Amino acid sequence: MSIKENDVHILFTGYSRPDSNDSSAMRANCTCTLIRTRNGRNIIVDTLTAWDGERLTEALQNLHGLKPEDIHVVVCTHGHSDHTGCNYLFRSAQWHFMGACVSNRDKYLDCPLSRGDSEPFQLCGDDVVVVRTPGHTLNCVSVLVRGTNLGEVVGVCGDLFERVEDIMDPTIWLEAGSENAESQRIQRLRMIEMCNYIIPGHGQGFAVTENMRELLRQQVNSNNTK
Ligand SMILES: [Zn+2]
């Protein structure tokens, strides 16, 4: 009998662009991802803005037959408002990750991840783990999912990657804001070496190619020689 996969579904594809009517503003919302593990756990990664509750509830129900109470874990890759807005829907979840900070109600977990260690936090054995990927913010995390419908290893990386185009053009992720660009460059390489498929913070998921890996190696190396 074949073992069921861990399914990774993009519920909403994020975006970020200048506001067409207001030159002092941006429009942005995150890519929102649902992970359904082979042992029946449902994990949501990045929960849009606080104004998206209805469409998120509808997408879970219509596409997956899930209610907010069916979500076991919420992971926000970092604490920005376009990645955390609908956390309030998922009050039955065991844990809410706000980056590396893990809580339920007023209870805050003291674990290696929240203390800053590089040790992965297992959400479903080795199949689904949360790892620190500091850069965009110092508290950023990514979720790694193994054995999936989208490839052997999927990285749900938040704003470590803005969108696929930022591999060719690093000004895209730098201009989106980085609290530590050097760390972000190294973490981007680490994730792309490890993953076959990456879901960025504000764009479509993409399959990783050897050419992409080589570009990010060059970006780390050329920065080291500066
Ligand atoms: Zn973002």
Side-chain angles (χ1 to χ4, degrees):
M1 204 181 90
S2 68
I3 301 165
K4 244 179 85 193
E5 292 171 324
N6 296 303
D7 284 330
V8 181
H9 303 278
I10 294 178
L11 294 175
F12 294 97
T13 298
Y15 56 86
S16 59
R17 52 181 156 75
D19 187 299
S20 45
N21 300 315
D22 183 350
S23 61
S24 67
M26 293 279 299
R27 297 280 181 158
N29 210 339
C30 71
T31 298
C32 171
T33 305
L34 173 68
I35 301 162
R36 306 195 71 173
T37 73
R38 61 179 121 218
N39 69 353
R41 304 257 288 174
N42 300 314
I43 300 158
I44 195 158
V45 185
D46 287 341
T47 63
L48 306 165
T49 78
W51 287 263
D52 296 306
E54 273 182 32
R55 68 186 188 118
L56 179 49
T57 308
E58 280 170 17
L60 285 169
Q61 181 64 55
N62 297 342
L63 303 174
H64 297 283
L66 295 176
K67 296 194 161 45
E69 305 83 75
D70 298 323
I71 298 297
H72 299 96
V73 177
V74 177
V75 180
C76 300
T77 54
H78 60 292
H80 290 163
S81 58
D82 55 335
H83 295 257
T84 62
C86 292
N87 287 11
Y88 63 91
L89 289 174
F90 307 110
R91 283 168 299 191
S92 302
Q94 181 189 9
W95 296 118
H96 282 202
F97 286 72
M98 187 66 78
C101 178
V102 190
S103 67
N104 179 304
R105 295 179 185 254
D106 62 348
K107 176 180 171 181
Y108 286 81
L109 196 63
D110 182 23
C111 62
L113 187 84
S114 64
R115 285 197 296 271
D117 294 2
S118 55
E119 199 176 305
F121 188 113
Q122 296 186 330
L123 292 182
C124 180
D126 275 335
D127 275 7
V128 186
V129 299
V130 180
V131 294
R132 295 186 79 104
T133 47
H136 176 67
T137 75
L138 300 180
N139 199 37
C140 276
V141 297
S142 297
V143 182
L144 292 169
V145 193
R146 295 189 169 82
T148 83
N149 55 320
L150 297 176
E152 185 43 40
V153 183
V154 174
V156 190
C157 292
D159 292 3
L160 184 64
F161 295 86
E162 183 81 0
R163 53 180 183 269
V164 64
E165 288 83 1
D166 77 12
I167 289 170
M168 286 286 287
D169 180 1
T171 63
I172 295 172
W173 65 264
L174 285 164
E175 284 171 9
S178 180
E179 292 181 0
N180 186 332
E182 189 186 347
S183 173
Q184 190 163 348
R185 210 173 274 114
I186 291 165
Q187 295 296 334
R188 284 163 58 85
L189 176 58
R190 175 176 159 239
M191 283 299 121
I192 212 160
E193 299 274 27
M194 207 183 295
C195 297
N196 310 102
Y197 191 94
I198 282 178
I199 298 178
H202 293 270
Q204 293 178 342
F206 57 90
V208 171
T209 66
E210 203 42 49
N211 183 42
M212 290 176 181
R213 291 188 176 123
E214 189 49 39
L215 279 167
L216 293 204
R217 281 180 209 128
Q218 286 168 10
Q219 288 167 20
V220 167
N221 289 337
S222 70
N223 214 265
N224 285 342
T225 55
K226 266 179 200 161

